[in-house]
């Protein structure tokens, strides 16, 4: 009888220890999975940027060219986007201002902005203003035709002003 009690006790201890090990393993796995998920969420958090583009009165009456933008901070972080309006044929009309909201990874204070143009119409922006977070708006003065297929812009990140 003592042997049977000893065997039962041993079997119960082994069963509970297996349950504890499995439970501990599951907890660690769950914690690791949640931590990885939270890290992934933090890496993909997006911020909203407002971009106001004023097309010059010296620009063609309107352009159907594809216009892209790159904004960045002093740390080398950047956001790339295509500037599409509600009606692409009327988006960049001469002497007009249009606002865009773009979504992208969060950056610091915007200090660089580049525009890209792809098409045959040509386009001349007058100013581009970027608004983001609690930072003051930053205006980039262009008044030049954006060349086809190459970026054109400004990098004020190294300025001490």
């Amino acid at each position: 009888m003592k042997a049977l009690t000893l065997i039962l006790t041993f079997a119960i201890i082994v069963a509970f220890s297996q349950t504890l090990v499995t439970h501990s393993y599951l907890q660690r796995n769950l914690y690791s999975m949640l931590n990885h998920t939270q890290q992934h969420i933090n890496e993909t958090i997006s911020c909203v940027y407002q971009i106001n583009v004023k097309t010059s009165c010296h620009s063609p009456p309107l352009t159907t060219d594809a216009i892209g933008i790159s904004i960045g901070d002093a740390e080398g972080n950047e956001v790339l986007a295509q500037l599409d309006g509600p009606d692409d044929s009327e988006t960049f009309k001469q002497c007009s201002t249009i606002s865009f909201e773009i979504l992208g990874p969060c950056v610091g204070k915007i200090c660089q902005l580049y525009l890209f143009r792809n098409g045959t119409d040509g386009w001349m922006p007058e100013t581009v203003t970027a608004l983001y977070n609690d930072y003051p708006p930053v205006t980039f003065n262009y008044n030049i035709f954006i060349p086809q297929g190459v970026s054109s812009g400004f990098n004020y990140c190294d300025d001490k002003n």
Side-chain angles (χ1 to χ4, degrees):
M1 187 69 173
K2 267 188 169 183
L4 183 60
T5 304
L6 185 59
I7 291 173
L8 277 174
T9 305
F10 183 78
I12 291 171
I13 291 171
V14 168
F16 278 122
S17 67
Q18 285 295 328
T19 303
L20 291 175
V21 168
T22 303
H23 181 69
S24 175
Y25 175 75
L26 287 175
Q27 272 187 324
R28 265 184 290 158
N29 246 6
L30 183 60
Y31 175 76
S32 175
M33 184 177 73
L34 288 174
N35 191 29
H36 181 271
T37 302
Q38 183 63 42
Q39 182 180 3
H40 180 68
I41 287 170
N42 288 343
E43 288 172 359
T44 58
I45 287 177
S46 293
C47 291
V48 177
Y49 304 87
Q50 183 177 337
I51 307 297
N52 299 325
V53 179
K54 182 175 183 184
T55 297
S56 171
C57 293
H58 299 291
S59 189
L62 67 93
T63 186
T64 58
D65 293 356
I67 307 295
I69 190 170
S70 168
I71 55 175
D73 64 15
E75 302 299 318
N77 302 306
E78 67 178 349
V79 177
L80 301 170
Q82 176 90 18
L83 298 180
D84 293 321
D87 179 3
D88 288 338
S89 66
E90 298 289 319
T91 300
F92 296 105
K93 290 189 339 184
Q94 185 181 60
C95 304
S96 67
T97 301
I98 188 165
S99 293
F100 300 91
E101 277 194 356
I102 58 176
L103 203 59
C106 299
V107 300
K109 182 180 178 185
I110 296 170
C111 55
Q112 62 179 318
L113 188 141
Y114 293 92
L115 294 172
F116 309 88
R117 183 184 66 81
N118 188 20
T120 57
D121 295 338
W123 178 60
M124 179 189 284
E126 187 173 309
T127 60
V128 180
T129 302
L131 295 94
Y132 165 61
N133 220 348
D134 293 331
Y135 298 109
V138 183
T139 299
F140 298 85
N141 295 305
Y142 275 84
N143 282 317
I144 59 167
F145 279 96
I146 303 300
Q148 159 67 23
V150 277
S151 66
S152 180
F154 306 93
N155 183 343
Y156 298 133
C157 296
D158 293 331
D159 287 356
K160 301 298 180 200
N161 300 333

